[in-house]
């Protein structure tokens, strides 16, 4: 039997089932569409969030105090370290480890900032000049503090634009004095834009020299070190070098964790991908349900067409040919379901791009291929038994001649 | 051409076995016109199933063109049916969603014959059966006689050597019945071995050889009024 004849024969049976076939194609199509649209949504969200992280740069490493003893991918955000990373460590690293382009020690805290009769509780970051370079922050007005050694404190501050508006309400900012926890700082610069970093709004932050922040918060240790790596050096190599140097500085104990934000982003990306897969998996259940409907249709079809099956066998159809006639029917249904479903997906993605243009609304090829494969395999799997039943019918029984 | 040796067929009815065919010995030569008659339950349909290779004997042998068929696999038997045997049933058994022509082409389609060749062979057969103007009609648009002619067309499209007809006129009015009978006899005259199962004495007695069955045995084997079983 020729393939085109098998398909045509099956197609004629389906058109005779008219309404039932259309309903089945629709249920398969909805399964295909919901799965692909959800994958697209998940993937779009993932690339959106990854895009938000892009400003971290791939040439940056972070050094945290403390050592994660487990193999978990996420680094400890707040180090409960036995030993702090000190400014001295930072200075030694920068001097002695080749391949470090810049190093930014970071102290983080919150404080109540007052100016005249205005007061505001906000983020206080102890940083050096390199920090602004590494994070690609630029000043709208004024200038950074210059010529202040890393261990040296100074009563100067850079503030975010939002904070400037809040405290000075459009008045003169540069050269004005602020008060934080009893210390006084003179504003020398205002940060440009509302640089929205993941989790914190830097436009609402106060930046002071790191040594001043240590005095302010009375903490000898650093929150973390941000290291910019010369891009001619391998990052894994740099991670090992920094760890080894810190080990030497800390009496032979490895008590810091060096991560590249890439690794962090990769783990977040992994988590989002898992969620996408989980949601797609739930949607794929609808495909299995459609598969059960296909089985039901085939069973009914075999029952209604018993005499026809007997006739086909009497005039010389083999069991395999009879099986193929029924399998071809669900194959056609599955392919039609995929085509209609993907058309619905295309329409949904188009609408998505129209109303939510922030997301990419792309459908990854793996999702497209696997949804089509799953649909077709499910349909075939669920037809196999009823088709086998038809193939195994005795012609005399089927023709009512036994 | 056909040789049955001690052929039996046993059915299980409830707990007790029923012998539908008992030790049948039968030889039929190529080109014969044979009718099988007998009351309901005498085994004539079962015998036709056997001859048509759509049922297997419980015991005994069936040689078709010298080949022992009862030991062949299902797919080999299907191939033999397709190549050598045509069936005509009382209820026609046309596929309702296929046109007259497509029904006639069905065995060729199963055999993987190309569309062009199918179409030309079906044209020839439809001309022969005077069905050319009904080629694109669906079975439910045809009269009983026309449906049976389509079924006969389907049965001869493969140029079989054996044509088996089970009550071919059973659902037809007398005029259509006569037409169908005449058609079958023309095919037989052209060399096709014809075996007809029927209740209808009138039809049965037209055959050159008449078998009467009773309780699963051939009670009489008569050649045109000459009784071969000397009683």
């Amino acid at each position: 039997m020729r393939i085109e004849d098998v398909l045509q024969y099956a197609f004629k049976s389906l058109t005779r089932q008219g309404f039932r076939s259309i309903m089945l194609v629709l249920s398969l199509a909805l399964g295909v569409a919901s799965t692909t649209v959800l994958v697209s949504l998940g993937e779009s969200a993932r690339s959106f969030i990854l895009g938000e992280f892009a400003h971290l740069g791939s040439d940056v490493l972070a050094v945290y105090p403390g050592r994660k003893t487990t193999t978990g991918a996420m680094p400890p955000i707040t180090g409960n370290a036995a030993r702090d990373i000190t400014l001295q460590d930072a200075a030694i690293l920068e001097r002695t480890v080749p391949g470090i382009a810049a190093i930014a020690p970071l102290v983080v805290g919150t404080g109540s900032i007052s100016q005249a009769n205005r007061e505001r509780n906000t983020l206080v970051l102890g940083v050096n000049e390199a920090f602004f370079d590494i994070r690609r922050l630029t000043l709208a007005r004024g200038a950074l503090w210059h010529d202040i050694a890393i261990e040296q404190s100074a009563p100067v501050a850079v503030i975010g634009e939002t904070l400037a508006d809040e405290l000075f309400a459009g008045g003169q900012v540069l050269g004005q004095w602020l008060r934080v926890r009893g210390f006084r700082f003179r504003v020398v610069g205002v940060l440009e834009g509302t640089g929205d970093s993941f989790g914190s709004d830097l436009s609402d932050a106060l930046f002071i020299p790191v040594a001043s922040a240590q005095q302010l918060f009375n903490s000898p240790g650093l929150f973390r070190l941000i290291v910019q790596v010369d891009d001619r050096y391998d990052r894994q190599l740099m991670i090992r070098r920094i760890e080894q140097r810190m080990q030497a500085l800390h009496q032979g104990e490895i008590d810091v964790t060096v991560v590249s934000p890439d690794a962090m982003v990769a783990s977040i990306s992994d988590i989002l991908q898992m969620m996408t897969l989980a949601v797609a998996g739930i949607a794929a259940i609808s495909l299995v349900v459609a598969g059960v409907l296909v089985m039901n249709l085939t069973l009914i079809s075999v029952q209604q067409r018993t005499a026809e099956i007997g006739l086909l066998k009497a005039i010389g159809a083999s069991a395999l040919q009879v099986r193929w006639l029924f399998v071809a029917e669900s194959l056609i249904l599955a392919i039609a379901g995929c085509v209609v479903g993907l058309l619905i997906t295309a329409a949904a993605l188009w609408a998505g791009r129209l109303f939510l243009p922030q997301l990419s609304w792309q459908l990854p090829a793996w999702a497209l291929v696997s949804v089509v494969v799953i649909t077709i395999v499910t349909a075939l799997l669920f037809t196999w038994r009823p088709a086998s039943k038809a193939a195994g019918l005795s012609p005399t029984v089927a023709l009512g001649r036994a | 051409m056909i040789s049955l040796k001690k052929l039996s067929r046993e059915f299980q009815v409830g707990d007790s076995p029923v012998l539908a065919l008992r030790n049948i010995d039968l030889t039929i030569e190529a080109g014969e016109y044979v009718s099988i008659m007998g009351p309901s339950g005498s085994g004539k349909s079962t015998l036709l199933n056997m001859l048509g290779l759509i049922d297997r004997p419980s015991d005994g042998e069936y040689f078709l063109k010298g080949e022992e068929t009862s030991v062949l696999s299902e797919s080999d038997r299907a191939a033999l049916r397709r190549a050598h045997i045509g069936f005509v049933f009382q209820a026609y058994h046309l596929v309702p969603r296929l046109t007259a022509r497509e029904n006639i082409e069905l065995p060729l389609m199963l055999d993987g014959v190309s569309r062009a060749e199918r179409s030309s062979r079906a044209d020839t057969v439809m001309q022969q059966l005077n069905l050319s103007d009904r080629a694109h009609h669906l079975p439910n648009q045809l009269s009983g006689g026309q449906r049976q002619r389509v079924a006969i067309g389907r049965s001869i499209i493969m140029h079989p050597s054996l044509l088996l007809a089970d009550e071919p006129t059973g659902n037809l009015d007398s005029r259509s019945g006569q037409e169908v009978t005449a058609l079958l006899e023309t095919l037989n005259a052209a060399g096709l071995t014809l075996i007809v199962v029927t209740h209808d004495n009138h039809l049965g007695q037209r055959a050159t050889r008449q078998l009467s069955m009773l309780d699963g045995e051939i009670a009489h084997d008569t050649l045109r009024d000459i009784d071969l079983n000397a009683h």
Side-chain angles (χ1 to χ4, degrees):
Chain A
M1 222 176 160
R2 293 168 179 239
I3 292 172
E4 68 264 29
D5 289 330
V6 173
L7 290 177
Q8 195 184 33
Y9 192 92
F11 187 73
K12 281 192 172 154
S13 317
L14 289 174
T15 48
R16 193 136 190 276
Q17 304 262 7
F19 189 67
R20 236 188 313 217
S21 301
I22 290 171
M23 288 297 108
L24 253 187
V25 168
L26 200 61
S27 64
L28 284 164
L30 289 178
V32 168
S34 56
T35 311
T36 46
V37 168
L38 282 172
V39 169
S40 172
L41 190 59
E43 282 293 295
S44 303
R46 190 168 71 97
S47 56
F48 177 76
I49 290 170
L50 292 189
E52 292 289 289
F53 271 107
H55 69 271
L56 286 176
S58 62
D59 54 350
V60 166
L61 299 176
V63 184
Y64 297 87
R67 189 80 185 165
K68 194 131 171 100
T69 48
T70 60
T71 54
M74 290 294 280
I77 299 296
T78 51
N80 289 321
R83 196 194 308 266
D84 292 323
I85 299 173
T86 62
L87 278 178
Q88 202 184 0
D89 292 335
I92 293 171
L93 278 181
E94 189 172 24
R95 263 204 323 274
T96 59
V97 178
I100 292 183
I103 197 161
L106 194 61
V107 169
V108 177
T110 55
S112 173
I113 300 163
S114 52
Q115 195 280 326
N117 54 357
R118 294 198 180 82
E119 194 169 315
R120 190 168 169 79
N121 206 36
T122 192
L123 187 67
V124 178
L125 293 168
V127 297
N128 63 353
E129 289 166 77
F131 176 83
F132 296 93
D133 270 351
I134 294 173
R135 292 295 297 267
R136 297 185 190 116
L137 301 172
T138 50
L139 295 190
R141 282 166 283 166
L144 286 177
W145 56 82
H146 292 291
D147 306 323
I148 294 175
I150 212 168
E151 303 91 346
Q152 192 185 338
S153 63
V156 290
V158 169
I159 61 175
E161 202 156 352
T162 309
L163 187 61
D165 288 346
E166 295 274 350
L167 290 178
F168 297 99
Q172 173 70 26
V173 181
L174 295 178
Q176 300 297 309
W177 290 83
L178 299 171
R179 182 173 286 277
V180 189
R181 292 190 169 198
F183 289 80
R184 275 157 48 87
F185 295 94
R186 190 164 56 84
V187 178
V188 295
V190 177
L191 208 58
E192 187 176 61
T194 53
D196 214 0
S197 166
F198 194 66
S200 56
D201 183 0
L202 292 186
S203 77
D204 197 19
L206 175 77
F207 301 85
I208 55 178
V210 59
S212 308
Q214 283 184 321
Q215 288 172 8
L216 194 67
F217 297 116
N218 193 23
S219 77
L222 296 174
F223 177 65
R224 74 175 74 152
L225 283 176
I226 299 171
V227 178
Q228 187 165 37
V229 174
D230 186 325
D231 57 14
R232 285 168 302 182
Y233 288 79
D234 177 63
R235 249 173 301 146
Q236 290 308 314
L237 173 77
M238 289 305 294
I239 288 175
R240 273 200 307 281
R241 275 188 183 169
I242 292 168
E243 276 179 354
Q244 278 163 9
R245 192 76 199 107
M246 288 303 292
Q247 186 181 11
L249 290 172
H250 287 181
Q251 282 84 42
E253 214 179 318
I254 302 182
D255 57 2
V256 296
T257 305
V258 186
V259 295
S260 79
D262 274 8
M264 216 164 81
V265 168
S267 68
I268 290 172
S269 164
D270 281 352
I271 291 168
L272 288 171
Q273 191 150 36
M274 288 304 287
M275 280 173 61
T276 303
L277 284 179
V279 172
I282 292 167
I285 290 174
S286 61
L287 281 176
V288 177
V289 172
V292 174
L293 294 179
V294 169
M295 177 154 79
N296 183 42
L297 180 91
T298 315
L299 271 174
I300 292 172
S301 187
V302 168
Q303 218 148 44
Q304 283 178 342
R305 290 156 60 192
T306 304
E308 179 188 326
I309 295 163
L311 179 271
L312 287 173
K313 291 195 129 187
I315 64 173
S318 65
L320 194 67
Q321 285 178 326
V322 171
R323 184 196 294 271
W324 270 114
L325 288 177
F326 284 94
V327 168
E329 284 183 29
S330 47
L331 195 64
I332 292 172
L333 287 177
I335 290 171
C338 284
V339 170
V340 174
L342 292 178
L343 286 178
I344 296 175
T345 305
L349 297 190
W350 178 82
R353 272 180 215 119
L354 205 63
F355 295 110
L356 250 178
Q358 300 95 309
L359 298 188
S360 66
W361 295 103
Q362 269 158 358
L363 183 59
W366 62 262
L368 188 72
V369 171
S370 48
V371 164
V372 168
V373 168
I374 287 172
T375 308
I376 290 173
V377 167
T378 314
L380 293 188
L381 223 60
F382 278 103
T383 328
W384 201 251
R385 247 191 75 73
S388 300
K389 193 181 154 192
L393 271 177
S394 138
T396 52
V397 172
L399 286 169
R401 297 176 57 82
Chain B
M1 168 149 135
I2 288 172
S3 173
L4 305 185
K5 293 188 172 153
K6 300 233 170 296
L7 189 126
S8 298
R9 179 64 165 105
E10 192 179 276
F11 288 106
Q12 205 69 28
V13 177
D15 286 339
S16 50
V18 173
L19 265 181
L21 297 176
R22 304 164 189 263
N23 288 323
I24 303 263
D25 285 306
L26 177 65
T27 305
I28 294 172
E29 301 299 335
E32 277 196 85
Y33 178 9
V34 182
S35 67
I36 304 174
M37 289 186 287
S40 295
S42 60
K44 49 189 197 308
S45 284
T46 308
L47 180 58
L48 199 75
N49 292 347
M50 287 296 158
L51 294 173
L53 295 173
I54 57 177
D55 198 5
R56 276 179 194 270
S58 319
D59 203 10
E61 296 169 320
Y62 171 15
F63 292 89
L64 177 66
K65 294 191 155 187
E67 190 171 7
E68 220 292 70
T69 59
S70 49
V71 295
L72 294 177
S73 72
E74 261 322 307
S75 61
D76 287 344
R77 286 160 64 90
L80 273 182
R81 288 199 292 271
R82 193 155 69 211
H84 297 300
I85 302 171
F87 280 98
V88 175
F89 302 101
Q90 178 174 2
Y92 327 124
H93 288 309
L94 302 178
V95 179
R97 57 190 175 278
L98 301 184
T99 62
R101 173 201 220 106
E102 288 167 335
N103 267 289
I104 289 173
E105 287 181 7
L106 207 48
L108 294 174
M109 190 187 91
L110 291 174
D111 210 35
V113 174
S114 78
R115 200 157 288 206
E117 193 190 334
R118 270 175 9 214
S119 161
S120 82
R121 278 167 74 172
D123 279 342
T124 313
V125 167
M126 281 187 292
Q127 249 162 29
Q128 194 183 343
L129 301 184
N130 201 14
L131 280 169
S132 300
D133 57 335
R134 292 286 180 272
H136 301 292
H137 288 59
L138 290 172
N140 62 13
Q141 297 166 320
L142 298 172
S143 72
Q146 288 167 340
R147 287 184 209 187
Q148 196 59 300
R149 281 189 349 244
V150 170
I152 292 171
R154 181 181 62 198
S155 73
I156 60 170
I157 190 96
M158 296 292 289
H159 305 305
S161 41
L162 175 62
L163 186 60
L164 303 173
D166 192 356
E167 302 282 8
T169 59
N171 283 8
L172 301 177
D173 60 64
S174 63
R175 223 194 104 196
S176 304
Q178 279 164 18
E179 277 175 21
V180 164
T181 307
L183 183 54
L184 291 173
E185 288 173 356
T186 312
L187 294 169
N188 171 247
L192 186 59
T193 312
L194 176 62
I195 301 175
V196 179
V197 163
T198 184
H199 271 103
D200 178 359
N201 274 335
H202 188 69
L203 172 61
Q205 278 160 8
R206 294 181 64 91
T208 48
R209 182 177 177 190
Q210 295 149 24
L211 305 178
S212 299
M213 293 199 68
L214 193 63
D215 297 335
E217 293 179 310
I218 298 174
H220 294 282
D221 186 346
T222 322
L223 260 185
R224 269 274 197 237
D225 304 325
I226 307 162
D227 197 338
L228 290 180
N229 302 5
H231 281 297

